[in-house]
Short mmCIF file of all heavy atoms in Angstrom, two decimals:
data_model
loop_
_atom_site.label_atom_id
_atom_site.label_comp_id
_atom_site.label_asym_id
_atom_site.label_seq_id
_atom_site.Cartn_x
_atom_site.Cartn_y
_atom_site.Cartn_z
N MET A 16 13.94 3.65 6.58
CA MET A 16 12.55 4.02 6.50
C MET A 16 11.87 3.22 5.38
O MET A 16 12.43 3.05 4.31
CB MET A 16 12.45 5.53 6.20
CG MET A 16 11.09 6.01 5.84
SD MET A 16 11.12 7.78 5.52
CE MET A 16 9.55 8.18 6.05
N ILE A 17 10.72 2.68 5.64
CA ILE A 17 9.98 1.95 4.62
C ILE A 17 9.02 2.93 3.95
O ILE A 17 8.28 3.65 4.62
CB ILE A 17 9.22 0.76 5.25
CG1 ILE A 17 10.20 -0.23 5.79
CG2 ILE A 17 8.28 0.12 4.21
CD1 ILE A 17 9.65 -1.42 6.50
N VAL A 18 9.08 2.96 2.61
CA VAL A 18 8.24 3.84 1.83
C VAL A 18 7.33 2.98 0.92
O VAL A 18 7.68 1.87 0.52
CB VAL A 18 9.05 4.84 1.01
CG1 VAL A 18 9.82 5.78 1.92
CG2 VAL A 18 9.98 4.17 0.03
N PHE A 19 6.18 3.55 0.59
CA PHE A 19 5.18 2.84 -0.20
C PHE A 19 4.96 3.48 -1.56
O PHE A 19 3.88 3.33 -2.12
CB PHE A 19 3.88 2.75 0.59
CG PHE A 19 4.05 2.05 1.90
CD1 PHE A 19 4.12 2.74 3.08
CD2 PHE A 19 4.16 0.67 1.94
CE1 PHE A 19 4.31 2.08 4.31
CE2 PHE A 19 4.33 -0.01 3.16
CZ PHE A 19 4.41 0.72 4.32
N ASP A 20 5.99 4.12 -2.11
CA ASP A 20 5.87 4.78 -3.41
C ASP A 20 5.50 3.75 -4.51
O ASP A 20 4.74 4.06 -5.41
CB ASP A 20 7.18 5.48 -3.80
CG ASP A 20 7.58 6.56 -2.81
OD1 ASP A 20 6.68 7.08 -2.11
OD2 ASP A 20 8.77 6.88 -2.73
N LYS A 21 6.05 2.58 -4.39
CA LYS A 21 5.78 1.53 -5.40
C LYS A 21 4.35 1.05 -5.39
O LYS A 21 3.82 0.57 -6.39
CB LYS A 21 6.72 0.32 -5.19
CG LYS A 21 8.16 0.56 -5.51
CD LYS A 21 8.93 -0.73 -5.30
CE LYS A 21 10.34 -0.63 -5.86
NZ LYS A 21 11.03 -1.92 -5.75
N LEU A 22 3.66 1.18 -4.23
CA LEU A 22 2.28 0.74 -4.12
C LEU A 22 1.42 1.41 -5.16
O LEU A 22 0.64 0.77 -5.88
CB LEU A 22 1.75 1.03 -2.72
CG LEU A 22 0.25 0.84 -2.52
CD1 LEU A 22 -0.16 -0.61 -2.78
CD2 LEU A 22 -0.16 1.31 -1.14
N TRP A 23 1.54 2.72 -5.30
CA TRP A 23 0.67 3.52 -6.19
C TRP A 23 0.95 3.16 -7.64
O TRP A 23 0.01 3.10 -8.44
CB TRP A 23 0.85 5.01 -5.90
CG TRP A 23 0.84 5.25 -4.42
CD1 TRP A 23 1.91 5.64 -3.66
CD2 TRP A 23 -0.25 5.01 -3.51
NE1 TRP A 23 1.54 5.68 -2.31
CE2 TRP A 23 0.23 5.30 -2.20
CE3 TRP A 23 -1.56 4.59 -3.67
CZ2 TRP A 23 -0.57 5.21 -1.07
CZ3 TRP A 23 -2.34 4.47 -2.51
CH2 TRP A 23 -1.87 4.78 -1.27
N VAL A 24 2.22 2.90 -7.99
CA VAL A 24 2.59 2.50 -9.34
C VAL A 24 1.99 1.14 -9.65
O VAL A 24 1.37 0.92 -10.71
CB VAL A 24 4.12 2.49 -9.53
CG1 VAL A 24 4.49 1.97 -10.90
CG2 VAL A 24 4.70 3.89 -9.31
N THR A 25 2.14 0.19 -8.72
CA THR A 25 1.65 -1.17 -8.91
C THR A 25 0.13 -1.18 -9.02
O THR A 25 -0.44 -1.88 -9.85
CB THR A 25 2.13 -2.09 -7.75
OG1 THR A 25 3.56 -2.07 -7.73
CG2 THR A 25 1.62 -3.50 -7.93
N MET A 26 -0.53 -0.38 -8.19
CA MET A 26 -1.99 -0.29 -8.25
C MET A 26 -2.44 0.19 -9.60
O MET A 26 -3.38 -0.35 -10.20
CB MET A 26 -2.55 0.62 -7.15
CG MET A 26 -2.56 -0.03 -5.78
SD MET A 26 -3.03 1.14 -4.44
CE MET A 26 -4.61 1.76 -5.04
N LYS A 27 -1.78 1.21 -10.12
CA LYS A 27 -2.12 1.75 -11.44
C LYS A 27 -1.93 0.70 -12.53
O LYS A 27 -2.79 0.53 -13.40
CB LYS A 27 -1.30 2.99 -11.72
CG LYS A 27 -1.71 3.71 -12.98
CD LYS A 27 -1.07 5.06 -13.11
CE LYS A 27 -1.65 5.74 -14.33
NZ LYS A 27 -1.47 7.16 -14.32
N GLU A 28 -0.79 -0.01 -12.48
CA GLU A 28 -0.53 -1.05 -13.48
C GLU A 28 -1.56 -2.16 -13.42
O GLU A 28 -1.92 -2.70 -14.47
CB GLU A 28 0.87 -1.65 -13.20
CG GLU A 28 2.01 -0.74 -13.55
CD GLU A 28 3.37 -1.29 -13.08
OE1 GLU A 28 3.41 -2.37 -12.44
OE2 GLU A 28 4.38 -0.66 -13.41
N LYS A 29 -2.07 -2.47 -12.24
CA LYS A 29 -3.05 -3.56 -12.09
C LYS A 29 -4.49 -3.06 -12.22
O LYS A 29 -5.43 -3.87 -12.17
CB LYS A 29 -2.89 -4.23 -10.72
CG LYS A 29 -1.52 -4.83 -10.47
CD LYS A 29 -1.36 -6.19 -11.13
CE LYS A 29 -0.03 -6.81 -10.70
NZ LYS A 29 -0.01 -8.23 -10.97
N GLY A 30 -4.68 -1.76 -12.39
CA GLY A 30 -6.01 -1.22 -12.58
C GLY A 30 -6.86 -1.22 -11.31
O GLY A 30 -8.08 -1.37 -11.38
N ILE A 31 -6.22 -1.04 -10.16
CA ILE A 31 -6.94 -1.01 -8.89
C ILE A 31 -6.83 0.40 -8.31
O ILE A 31 -5.73 0.89 -8.03
CB ILE A 31 -6.38 -2.05 -7.90
CG1 ILE A 31 -6.63 -3.44 -8.49
CG2 ILE A 31 -7.04 -1.93 -6.54
CD1 ILE A 31 -6.10 -4.58 -7.67
N SER A 32 -7.97 1.00 -8.06
CA SER A 32 -8.01 2.37 -7.53
C SER A 32 -8.14 2.34 -6.01
O SER A 32 -8.55 1.33 -5.41
CB SER A 32 -9.16 3.16 -8.13
OG SER A 32 -10.41 2.58 -7.68
N GLN A 33 -7.87 3.50 -5.41
CA GLN A 33 -8.07 3.64 -3.98
C GLN A 33 -9.56 3.46 -3.67
O GLN A 33 -9.93 2.84 -2.67
CB GLN A 33 -7.58 4.99 -3.47
CG GLN A 33 -6.08 5.11 -3.54
CD GLN A 33 -5.59 6.42 -3.01
OE1 GLN A 33 -5.95 6.82 -1.90
NE2 GLN A 33 -4.73 7.11 -3.77
N TYR A 34 -10.40 3.98 -4.53
CA TYR A 34 -11.85 3.85 -4.34
C TYR A 34 -12.27 2.38 -4.28
O TYR A 34 -13.05 1.96 -3.43
CB TYR A 34 -12.59 4.55 -5.49
CG TYR A 34 -14.09 4.48 -5.39
CD1 TYR A 34 -14.81 5.34 -4.56
CD2 TYR A 34 -14.82 3.53 -6.08
CE1 TYR A 34 -16.17 5.28 -4.44
CE2 TYR A 34 -16.19 3.43 -5.99
CZ TYR A 34 -16.85 4.35 -5.16
OH TYR A 34 -18.24 4.25 -5.05
N LYS A 35 -11.69 1.58 -5.18
CA LYS A 35 -12.03 0.15 -5.21
C LYS A 35 -11.52 -0.54 -3.94
O LYS A 35 -12.23 -1.40 -3.37
CB LYS A 35 -11.36 -0.51 -6.43
CG LYS A 35 -11.75 -1.93 -6.66
CD LYS A 35 -11.24 -2.45 -7.98
CE LYS A 35 -11.75 -3.85 -8.24
NZ LYS A 35 -11.39 -4.33 -9.59
N LEU A 36 -10.35 -0.17 -3.44
CA LEU A 36 -9.84 -0.71 -2.19
C LEU A 36 -10.80 -0.43 -1.01
O LEU A 36 -11.06 -1.29 -0.19
CB LEU A 36 -8.46 -0.18 -1.86
CG LEU A 36 -7.31 -0.68 -2.70
CD1 LEU A 36 -6.02 0.00 -2.27
CD2 LEU A 36 -7.15 -2.18 -2.61
N ILE A 37 -11.33 0.78 -1.02
CA ILE A 37 -12.25 1.17 0.05
C ILE A 37 -13.60 0.47 -0.09
O ILE A 37 -14.09 -0.13 0.87
CB ILE A 37 -12.43 2.72 0.06
CG1 ILE A 37 -11.10 3.41 0.41
CG2 ILE A 37 -13.53 3.14 1.02
CD1 ILE A 37 -11.06 4.87 0.07
N LYS A 38 -14.20 0.55 -1.26
CA LYS A 38 -15.57 0.05 -1.44
C LYS A 38 -15.68 -1.44 -1.56
O LYS A 38 -16.58 -2.05 -1.00
CB LYS A 38 -16.22 0.72 -2.69
CG LYS A 38 -16.45 2.20 -2.51
CD LYS A 38 -17.39 2.50 -1.35
CE LYS A 38 -17.59 3.98 -1.18
NZ LYS A 38 -18.39 4.32 -0.01
N GLU A 39 -14.78 -2.07 -2.29
CA GLU A 39 -14.89 -3.52 -2.55
C GLU A 39 -14.14 -4.34 -1.56
O GLU A 39 -14.51 -5.49 -1.26
CB GLU A 39 -14.44 -3.83 -3.96
CG GLU A 39 -15.38 -3.32 -5.04
CD GLU A 39 -14.97 -3.74 -6.44
OE1 GLU A 39 -14.31 -4.78 -6.61
OE2 GLU A 39 -15.31 -3.00 -7.38
N TYR A 40 -13.02 -3.84 -1.07
CA TYR A 40 -12.15 -4.63 -0.19
C TYR A 40 -12.09 -4.14 1.25
O TYR A 40 -11.39 -4.70 2.08
CB TYR A 40 -10.73 -4.70 -0.79
CG TYR A 40 -10.75 -5.38 -2.13
CD1 TYR A 40 -10.61 -4.63 -3.29
CD2 TYR A 40 -10.88 -6.76 -2.27
CE1 TYR A 40 -10.60 -5.23 -4.56
CE2 TYR A 40 -10.87 -7.38 -3.51
CZ TYR A 40 -10.73 -6.62 -4.64
OH TYR A 40 -10.74 -7.22 -5.87
N HIS A 41 -12.84 -3.07 1.55
CA HIS A 41 -12.98 -2.53 2.90
C HIS A 41 -11.66 -2.16 3.57
O HIS A 41 -11.47 -2.32 4.76
CB HIS A 41 -13.76 -3.51 3.78
CG HIS A 41 -15.04 -3.97 3.13
ND1 HIS A 41 -16.09 -3.13 2.97
CD2 HIS A 41 -15.39 -5.15 2.56
CE1 HIS A 41 -17.08 -3.75 2.35
NE2 HIS A 41 -16.66 -4.98 2.08
N ILE A 42 -10.74 -1.64 2.75
CA ILE A 42 -9.51 -1.05 3.29
C ILE A 42 -9.87 0.33 3.77
O ILE A 42 -10.51 1.12 3.03
CB ILE A 42 -8.39 -0.99 2.22
CG1 ILE A 42 -8.02 -2.36 1.66
CG2 ILE A 42 -7.16 -0.26 2.77
CD1 ILE A 42 -7.38 -3.31 2.64
N SER A 43 -9.54 0.69 4.98
CA SER A 43 -10.00 1.96 5.53
C SER A 43 -9.25 3.15 4.94
O SER A 43 -8.11 3.03 4.50
CB SER A 43 -9.83 1.97 7.05
OG SER A 43 -8.44 2.11 7.42
N THR A 44 -9.90 4.31 4.96
CA THR A 44 -9.27 5.52 4.44
C THR A 44 -8.08 5.89 5.33
O THR A 44 -7.09 6.44 4.85
CB THR A 44 -10.27 6.68 4.40
OG1 THR A 44 -10.87 6.85 5.69
CG2 THR A 44 -11.36 6.42 3.38
N GLY A 45 -8.19 5.54 6.64
CA GLY A 45 -7.04 5.79 7.56
C GLY A 45 -5.81 5.00 7.15
O GLY A 45 -4.69 5.52 7.18
N GLN A 46 -6.01 3.73 6.77
CA GLN A 46 -4.87 2.90 6.33
C GLN A 46 -4.26 3.52 5.04
O GLN A 46 -3.06 3.59 4.94
CB GLN A 46 -5.32 1.47 6.05
CG GLN A 46 -5.65 0.68 7.26
CD GLN A 46 -4.42 0.25 8.04
OE1 GLN A 46 -3.32 0.75 7.88
NE2 GLN A 46 -4.62 -0.68 8.93
N LEU A 47 -5.11 3.91 4.12
CA LEU A 47 -4.58 4.49 2.88
C LEU A 47 -3.87 5.78 3.17
O LEU A 47 -2.82 6.07 2.55
CB LEU A 47 -5.72 4.73 1.88
CG LEU A 47 -6.32 3.44 1.28
CD1 LEU A 47 -7.53 3.79 0.41
CD2 LEU A 47 -5.28 2.67 0.48
N ASP A 48 -4.34 6.58 4.11
CA ASP A 48 -3.68 7.83 4.48
C ASP A 48 -2.27 7.54 5.09
O ASP A 48 -1.31 8.21 4.74
CB ASP A 48 -4.53 8.61 5.47
CG ASP A 48 -4.00 10.02 5.69
OD1 ASP A 48 -3.76 10.72 4.71
OD2 ASP A 48 -3.81 10.38 6.86
N ARG A 49 -2.22 6.52 5.96
CA ARG A 49 -0.91 6.13 6.52
C ARG A 49 0.03 5.67 5.43
O ARG A 49 1.25 5.97 5.45
CB ARG A 49 -1.07 5.08 7.58
CG ARG A 49 -1.60 5.64 8.91
CD ARG A 49 -1.52 4.66 10.05
NE ARG A 49 -2.55 3.63 9.95
CZ ARG A 49 -3.82 3.79 10.28
NH1 ARG A 49 -4.24 4.97 10.72
NH2 ARG A 49 -4.66 2.79 10.21
N LEU A 50 -0.44 4.93 4.45
CA LEU A 50 0.38 4.48 3.33
C LEU A 50 0.85 5.65 2.52
O LEU A 50 2.03 5.73 2.10
CB LEU A 50 -0.40 3.49 2.46
CG LEU A 50 -0.67 2.11 3.08
CD1 LEU A 50 -1.79 1.41 2.36
CD2 LEU A 50 0.61 1.29 3.06
N ARG A 51 -0.02 6.62 2.24
CA ARG A 51 0.38 7.83 1.49
C ARG A 51 1.47 8.59 2.20
O ARG A 51 2.35 9.20 1.57
CB ARG A 51 -0.83 8.73 1.27
CG ARG A 51 -1.67 8.38 0.07
CD ARG A 51 -2.68 9.48 -0.26
NE ARG A 51 -3.67 9.71 0.78
CZ ARG A 51 -4.78 8.97 0.92
NH1 ARG A 51 -5.04 8.01 0.06
NH2 ARG A 51 -5.62 9.22 1.88
N LYS A 52 1.39 8.61 3.54
CA LYS A 52 2.37 9.37 4.34
C LYS A 52 3.55 8.52 4.79
O LYS A 52 4.34 8.96 5.62
CB LYS A 52 1.65 9.97 5.57
CG LYS A 52 0.60 11.01 5.19
CD LYS A 52 -0.13 11.49 6.40
CE LYS A 52 -1.17 12.55 6.02
NZ LYS A 52 -1.99 12.95 7.16
N ASN A 53 3.65 7.31 4.26
CA ASN A 53 4.71 6.36 4.64
C ASN A 53 4.74 6.13 6.15
O ASN A 53 5.78 6.06 6.77
CB ASN A 53 6.09 6.84 4.14
CG ASN A 53 6.14 6.86 2.64
OD1 ASN A 53 5.70 5.97 1.96
ND2 ASN A 53 6.70 7.96 2.10
N GLY A 54 3.55 6.04 6.72
CA GLY A 54 3.41 5.81 8.16
C GLY A 54 3.43 4.34 8.51
O GLY A 54 3.71 3.48 7.67
N ASN A 55 3.12 4.04 9.76
CA ASN A 55 3.11 2.67 10.24
C ASN A 55 1.82 1.95 9.78
O ASN A 55 0.74 2.47 9.99
CB ASN A 55 3.19 2.63 11.76
CG ASN A 55 4.51 3.12 12.25
OD1 ASN A 55 5.53 2.95 11.64
ND2 ASN A 55 4.49 3.75 13.42
N VAL A 56 2.00 0.79 9.18
CA VAL A 56 0.87 -0.07 8.82
C VAL A 56 1.26 -1.49 9.29
O VAL A 56 2.44 -1.86 9.34
CB VAL A 56 0.57 -0.04 7.32
CG1 VAL A 56 0.06 1.31 6.90
CG2 VAL A 56 1.74 -0.45 6.46
N SER A 57 0.23 -2.28 9.55
CA SER A 57 0.48 -3.63 10.03
C SER A 57 0.86 -4.58 8.90
O SER A 57 0.58 -4.34 7.73
CB SER A 57 -0.79 -4.15 10.74
OG SER A 57 -1.79 -4.40 9.79
N THR A 58 1.48 -5.65 9.30
CA THR A 58 1.80 -6.71 8.30
C THR A 58 0.53 -7.31 7.78
O THR A 58 0.48 -7.76 6.63
CB THR A 58 2.72 -7.77 8.92
OG1 THR A 58 2.13 -8.31 10.08
CG2 THR A 58 4.09 -7.23 9.22
N TYR A 59 -0.52 -7.31 8.55
CA TYR A 59 -1.84 -7.82 8.09
C TYR A 59 -2.29 -6.96 6.89
O TYR A 59 -2.74 -7.53 5.88
CB TYR A 59 -2.88 -7.75 9.22
CG TYR A 59 -4.25 -8.13 8.76
CD1 TYR A 59 -4.62 -9.47 8.62
CD2 TYR A 59 -5.18 -7.17 8.42
CE1 TYR A 59 -5.85 -9.83 8.20
CE2 TYR A 59 -6.44 -7.51 7.97
CZ TYR A 59 -6.81 -8.85 7.86
OH TYR A 59 -8.03 -9.20 7.41
N THR A 60 -2.21 -5.64 7.01
CA THR A 60 -2.62 -4.75 5.91
C THR A 60 -1.75 -5.01 4.67
O THR A 60 -2.28 -5.05 3.56
CB THR A 60 -2.50 -3.29 6.36
OG1 THR A 60 -3.43 -3.09 7.46
CG2 THR A 60 -2.86 -2.33 5.23
N LEU A 61 -0.45 -5.13 4.87
CA LEU A 61 0.45 -5.37 3.74
C LEU A 61 0.09 -6.70 3.07
O LEU A 61 0.07 -6.80 1.82
CB LEU A 61 1.90 -5.36 4.18
CG LEU A 61 2.40 -4.02 4.71
CD1 LEU A 61 3.82 -4.19 5.25
CD2 LEU A 61 2.32 -2.94 3.67
N ASN A 62 -0.20 -7.69 3.85
CA ASN A 62 -0.59 -9.02 3.32
C ASN A 62 -1.88 -8.91 2.51
O ASN A 62 -1.99 -9.46 1.42
CB ASN A 62 -0.76 -10.02 4.48
CG ASN A 62 -1.03 -11.40 3.97
OD1 ASN A 62 -0.19 -12.01 3.30
ND2 ASN A 62 -2.20 -11.93 4.30
N GLN A 63 -2.85 -8.17 3.06
CA GLN A 63 -4.13 -7.98 2.35
C GLN A 63 -3.92 -7.27 1.04
O GLN A 63 -4.50 -7.65 0.01
CB GLN A 63 -5.10 -7.21 3.24
CG GLN A 63 -5.61 -7.95 4.45
CD GLN A 63 -6.43 -9.16 4.06
OE1 GLN A 63 -5.90 -10.28 3.97
NE2 GLN A 63 -7.68 -8.98 3.78
N LEU A 64 -3.09 -6.23 1.03
CA LEU A 64 -2.83 -5.48 -0.19
C LEU A 64 -2.17 -6.38 -1.26
O LEU A 64 -2.58 -6.33 -2.44
CB LEU A 64 -1.97 -4.25 0.07
CG LEU A 64 -2.69 -3.13 0.81
CD1 LEU A 64 -1.67 -2.09 1.29
CD2 LEU A 64 -3.74 -2.49 -0.07
N CYS A 65 -1.21 -7.18 -0.84
CA CYS A 65 -0.54 -8.09 -1.80
C CYS A 65 -1.55 -9.09 -2.36
O CYS A 65 -1.53 -9.38 -3.54
CB CYS A 65 0.61 -8.83 -1.12
SG CYS A 65 2.05 -7.77 -0.80
N ARG A 66 -2.43 -9.60 -1.51
CA ARG A 66 -3.45 -10.55 -1.96
C ARG A 66 -4.42 -9.91 -2.95
O ARG A 66 -4.70 -10.44 -4.01
CB ARG A 66 -4.20 -11.12 -0.76
CG ARG A 66 -5.24 -12.18 -1.12
CD ARG A 66 -6.07 -12.60 0.07
NE ARG A 66 -6.78 -11.50 0.72
CZ ARG A 66 -7.92 -10.93 0.24
NH1 ARG A 66 -8.42 -11.35 -0.89
NH2 ARG A 66 -8.47 -9.97 0.89
N ILE A 67 -4.90 -8.72 -2.60
CA ILE A 67 -5.90 -8.02 -3.43
C ILE A 67 -5.28 -7.64 -4.78
O ILE A 67 -5.88 -7.84 -5.85
CB ILE A 67 -6.40 -6.75 -2.72
CG1 ILE A 67 -7.25 -7.13 -1.49
CG2 ILE A 67 -7.18 -5.85 -3.66
CD1 ILE A 67 -7.48 -6.01 -0.53
N ILE A 68 -4.09 -7.06 -4.73
CA ILE A 68 -3.44 -6.55 -5.96
C ILE A 68 -2.83 -7.70 -6.78
O ILE A 68 -2.69 -7.57 -7.98
CB ILE A 68 -2.38 -5.49 -5.62
CG1 ILE A 68 -3.05 -4.30 -4.91
CG2 ILE A 68 -1.62 -5.02 -6.83
CD1 ILE A 68 -2.10 -3.30 -4.30
N GLY A 69 -2.48 -8.77 -6.09
CA GLY A 69 -1.85 -9.90 -6.81
C GLY A 69 -0.36 -9.63 -7.07
O GLY A 69 0.11 -9.73 -8.21
N CYS A 70 0.34 -9.23 -6.01
CA CYS A 70 1.72 -8.87 -6.17
C CYS A 70 2.50 -9.35 -4.94
O CYS A 70 1.94 -9.93 -4.02
CB CYS A 70 1.88 -7.36 -6.32
SG CYS A 70 1.37 -6.43 -4.88
N SER A 71 3.79 -9.11 -4.95
CA SER A 71 4.62 -9.43 -3.79
C SER A 71 4.94 -8.17 -3.01
O SER A 71 4.74 -7.04 -3.50
CB SER A 71 5.89 -10.15 -4.21
OG SER A 71 6.64 -9.34 -5.08
N LEU A 72 5.46 -8.35 -1.80
CA LEU A 72 5.72 -7.21 -0.93
C LEU A 72 6.66 -6.19 -1.57
O LEU A 72 6.47 -4.99 -1.45
CB LEU A 72 6.29 -7.71 0.39
CG LEU A 72 6.56 -6.65 1.49
CD1 LEU A 72 5.26 -5.90 1.80
CD2 LEU A 72 7.13 -7.30 2.73
N GLU A 73 7.68 -6.67 -2.27
CA GLU A 73 8.63 -5.74 -2.90
C GLU A 73 8.01 -4.93 -4.03
O GLU A 73 8.59 -3.96 -4.49
CB GLU A 73 9.93 -6.44 -3.35
CG GLU A 73 9.72 -7.63 -4.22
CD GLU A 73 9.60 -8.93 -3.44
OE1 GLU A 73 9.63 -8.94 -2.21
OE2 GLU A 73 9.44 -9.95 -4.10
N ASP A 74 6.80 -5.29 -4.48
CA ASP A 74 6.10 -4.52 -5.45
C ASP A 74 5.35 -3.30 -4.87
O ASP A 74 4.91 -2.44 -5.60
CB ASP A 74 5.07 -5.38 -6.22
CG ASP A 74 5.72 -6.46 -7.04
OD1 ASP A 74 6.81 -6.22 -7.56
OD2 ASP A 74 5.13 -7.56 -7.15
N ILE A 75 5.22 -3.31 -3.52
CA ILE A 75 4.50 -2.21 -2.89
C ILE A 75 5.28 -1.46 -1.85
O ILE A 75 4.91 -0.35 -1.48
CB ILE A 75 3.17 -2.68 -2.29
CG1 ILE A 75 3.36 -3.69 -1.17
CG2 ILE A 75 2.23 -3.28 -3.38
CD1 ILE A 75 2.09 -4.06 -0.43
N ALA A 76 6.35 -2.04 -1.33
CA ALA A 76 7.13 -1.39 -0.26
C ALA A 76 8.62 -1.48 -0.55
O ALA A 76 9.07 -2.41 -1.22
CB ALA A 76 6.82 -2.05 1.07
N GLU A 77 9.33 -0.49 -0.07
CA GLU A 77 10.77 -0.44 -0.29
C GLU A 77 11.44 0.18 0.94
O GLU A 77 10.93 1.12 1.52
CB GLU A 77 11.05 0.38 -1.53
CG GLU A 77 12.50 0.56 -1.86
CD GLU A 77 12.69 1.44 -3.12
OE1 GLU A 77 11.79 2.20 -3.48
OE2 GLU A 77 13.78 1.37 -3.68
N TYR A 78 12.59 -0.38 1.33
CA TYR A 78 13.36 0.16 2.44
C TYR A 78 14.37 1.14 1.89
O TYR A 78 15.13 0.86 0.97
CB TYR A 78 14.07 -0.94 3.18
CG TYR A 78 15.00 -0.37 4.25
CD1 TYR A 78 14.52 0.14 5.42
CD2 TYR A 78 16.37 -0.36 4.06
CE1 TYR A 78 15.35 0.69 6.39
CE2 TYR A 78 17.22 0.15 5.00
CZ TYR A 78 16.70 0.69 6.16
OH TYR A 78 17.54 1.25 7.11
N LYS A 79 14.33 2.35 2.46
CA LYS A 79 15.31 3.37 2.11
C LYS A 79 16.00 3.82 3.41
O LYS A 79 15.30 4.28 4.33
CB LYS A 79 14.67 4.58 1.44
CG LYS A 79 14.17 4.26 0.06
CD LYS A 79 13.66 5.53 -0.62
CE LYS A 79 13.21 5.22 -2.06
NZ LYS A 79 12.75 6.40 -2.74
N PRO A 80 17.30 3.67 3.50
CA PRO A 80 17.97 4.11 4.73
C PRO A 80 17.74 5.59 5.01
O PRO A 80 17.64 6.39 4.06
CB PRO A 80 19.47 3.84 4.42
CG PRO A 80 19.49 2.89 3.28
CD PRO A 80 18.22 3.16 2.51
N ASP A 81 17.61 5.95 6.27
CA ASP A 81 17.48 7.32 6.67
C ASP A 81 18.71 8.13 6.21
O ASP A 81 19.82 7.70 6.35
CB ASP A 81 17.30 7.47 8.17
CG ASP A 81 15.96 6.93 8.63
OD1 ASP A 81 15.03 6.93 7.85
OD2 ASP A 81 15.87 6.52 9.82
N GLN A 82 18.46 9.34 5.71
CA GLN A 82 19.52 10.24 5.32
C GLN A 82 19.86 11.09 6.52
O GLN A 82 19.05 11.87 6.97
CB GLN A 82 19.07 11.12 4.17
CG GLN A 82 18.61 10.38 2.96
CD GLN A 82 19.77 9.69 2.21
OE1 GLN A 82 20.84 10.22 2.13
NE2 GLN A 82 19.51 8.48 1.70
N GLU A 83 21.06 10.93 7.09
CA GLU A 83 21.46 11.75 8.23
C GLU A 83 22.59 12.63 7.88
O GLU A 83 23.35 12.45 7.03
CB GLU A 83 21.81 10.82 9.40
CG GLU A 83 20.61 10.11 9.94
CD GLU A 83 20.95 9.32 11.18
OE1 GLU A 83 21.95 9.58 11.86
OE2 GLU A 83 20.14 8.43 11.51
#
């Protein structure tokens, strides 16, 4: 399972709020909701977030094996 827990930490470190993503960079609230719920997001969205935040993919996403 891919989780986005690191995204929120990285955003805080870089001083970028969800409000700023919505208003200045036109990231939809639906995309942010999917990220909060560790849902499906496109590679385009991940690329945009890395570009906006100025980070690499491993700074915002992490793979965690399913616990069975």
